[in-house]
Amino acid sequence: MGNLKFLHVKKKYPGERRFSVDDFHLEVNDGEFLVLVGPSGCGKSTLLRMLAGLEEITEGEIYIGDRMVNYVSSKDRNIAMVFQNYALYPHLSVYENIAFGLRMRKLAKHEIHEKVIRAAKVLEIEANLNKRPGQLSGGQRQRVALGRAIVREPDVFLMDEPLSNLDAKLRVLMREELTKLHRKLHRTTVYVTHDQIEAMTMGNRIVVMKDGVIQQVGTPREIYRTPLNVFVAGFIGTPPMNLISGTIRTEGKCLLFETRRCTLQLGSDKLGLLLGSGYSSRNILLGVRAEYISCVPAEEGESSERALGGRVDLLEFMGSDIFLHVQNEEFRLIARADPIHCPVSEGDAVHVKLDLENIHLFDPKTEERIC
Ligand SMILES: Nc1ncnc2c1ncn2[C@@H]1O[C@H](COP(=O)(O)OP(=O)(O)O)[C@@H](O)[C@H]1O
Ligand SMILES: [Mg+2]
């Protein structure tokens, strides 16, 4: 069985003061595609290497299936790892590269042949079996590395940034292929990346990490729609979530969000929650994604002096989207617009409207989500 359990796992490297992985506590279902994502140095590889048995666990326990593996050697964990550098043997053919581990395990010749051919079919590299790695493109080499992992029929696949050596176009293709491969094989996969797009597109669930600590665990939708803190809101999504700092005030039954130059009336659904949690008259961070901001030329907007507005100082054409960078004396926002019907041009003064159903409020001190 390929379900995994991490019980309060910690890692401190010898001589280091800080934990590189701190209290990682999570269960992974059999067959799940779990993505660990976070900036460089946040402890992703360290966690993967502890799971692989390549790094000692300082505290806590790791289970693969029902077996606690803390003291089980790497080769006895029934896992297969795929790295960023494919670590292929340059002097061996593709066939022999894929067969290598099976030969080491002294499998019968016909059994090895069957497995290699089956993996080659799954990966569509049958035509390359007699070539050497040097004769292959980056994507083909990555497939050979995957082939080597597949023939081992592991309970768990571990992948550490396996696509980051590929150019952008190939990365997108291989991303799709890995997802399809997972659907064919249904094996538990723990996939490490610093690329939030890979995380969003590939993961059944995503674990967002920072400084060795889990920030949030959830499906791509949950993480995108309900980020639990400012870090996750900024890390997941392109462009990052817009954040505006202001204060909360009530006026009668109205809930107002005020910055120095603008006032927004927020929905009353948030009123009870904010007041109950003591946020009245306190600083707050308002978050809103680019797709929930619309801009219209200033003359068509509200005439109120304290309306949200600014000047478009940059238009970024992305193909299917256009990003409007709006600047005023206080803050900067990025709004998404439809390039075909973009109502404003660079340099225009604009009025900005937020979809108040889709705003997020964060505590500026703890940076945690309020609602
Ligand atoms: N062998 C090591 N000795 C000491 N510190 C290490 C070692 N490997 C990694 N680290 C530190 O642990 C932290 C996490 O590293 P790593 O797991 O490689 O992060 P990521 O894979 O997310 O980029 C970093 O601060 C890194 O410097
Ligand atoms: Mg790493």
Side-chain angles (χ1 to χ4, degrees), residues 183-323:
R183 290 196 184 138
K184 276 188 210 165
L185 302 175
H186 287 293
R187 290 297 155 90
T188 309
T189 304
V190 182
Y191 185 100
V192 162
T193 179
H194 63 273
D195 182 314
Q196 53 99 13
I197 297 182
E198 273 178 29
M200 291 290 281
T201 51
M202 298 173 83
N204 296 135
R205 276 193 307 164
I206 300 177
V207 179
V208 185
M209 291 179 70
K210 178 185 165 232
D211 299 336
V213 179
I214 294 181
Q215 305 293 305
Q216 186 166 0
V217 183
T219 63
R221 271 164 214 272
E222 283 164 356
I223 300 237
Y224 187 79
R225 291 190 179 156
T226 322
L228 290 184
N229 62 35
V230 170
F231 175 79
V232 176
F235 191 77
I236 300 287
T238 315
M241 186 183 282
N242 294 288
L243 293 168
I244 309 173
S245 135
T247 46
I248 284 291
R249 188 166 67 81
T250 49
E251 204 173 78
K253 282 206 163 69
C254 290
L255 182 64
L256 303 178
F257 172 81
E258 293 183 316
T259 69
R260 250 187 310 113
R261 72 186 291 282
C262 337
T263 304
L264 275 176
Q265 187 174 333
L266 303 187
S268 51
D269 54 317
K270 300 212 168 10
L271 186 66
L273 234 164
L274 280 171
L275 299 185
S277 319
Y279 281 97
S280 180
S281 308
R282 272 175 56 187
N283 287 339
I284 209 156
L285 276 176
L286 183 148
V288 59
R289 294 225 181 257
E291 60 269 36
Y292 295 118
I293 305 181
S294 52
C295 297
V296 292
E299 58 275 15
E300 293 171 27
E302 267 175 62
S303 54
S304 149
E305 244 177 51
R306 294 194 50 83
L308 199 56
R311 193 167 291 279
V312 176
D313 65 359
L314 182 68
L315 282 184
E316 268 182 312
F317 178 66
M318 308 294 290
S320 57
D321 297 329
I322 193 160
F323 292 137

Side-chain angles (χ1 to χ4, degrees), residues 31-46:
E32 192 171 2
F33 197 118
L34 185 84
V35 178
L36 296 180
V37 69
S40 177
C42 72
K44 307 178 295 290
S45 295
T46 300

